Amino acid sequence: MSGLPAHEDAMVTVHLEGRGCRLARGSTLADLLRLLGHAPEAITTAVNGEFVARALRTGHVLQDGDEILLFQPIVGG
């Protein structure tokens, strides 16, 4: 038993570009991008300083305290 109210125990707080963001426990990186309205192919992601490939986002469950960075990939010649 965590001592938290049931609704609090069902949430995690992640840090998105320096700001706290509350999500349902079990949310994935892909879920977060969907909530934010980002097209998956338009964003590059990192969690806790580690790159997370697009194909791995649906399986990457976010944990309380994770630091998430979103950035547009640089393309060019």
Side-chain angles (χ1 to χ4, degrees):
M1 199 100 211
S2 69
L4 294 174
H7 68 281
E8 288 294 319
D9 197 33
M11 303 294 286
V12 295
T13 300
V14 298
H15 303 280
L16 177 62
E17 300 179 349
R19 292 189 298 229
C21 181
R22 306 265 300 150
L23 299 168
R25 188 170 299 284
S27 294
T28 66
L29 186 54
D31 294 331
L32 176 60
L33 292 179
R34 232 182 339 272
L35 284 170
L36 295 172
H38 291 298
E41 64 279 355
I43 294 290
T44 301
T45 55
V47 177
N48 299 325
E50 297 290 325
F51 169 74
V52 179
R54 187 182 319 154
L56 301 177
R57 293 174 187 163
T58 57
H60 191 103
V61 177
L62 297 172
Q63 304 297 318
D64 202 43
D66 278 351
E67 296 279 343
I68 299 157
L69 294 175
L70 308 178
F71 45 99
Q72 293 182 331
I74 298 171
V75 295

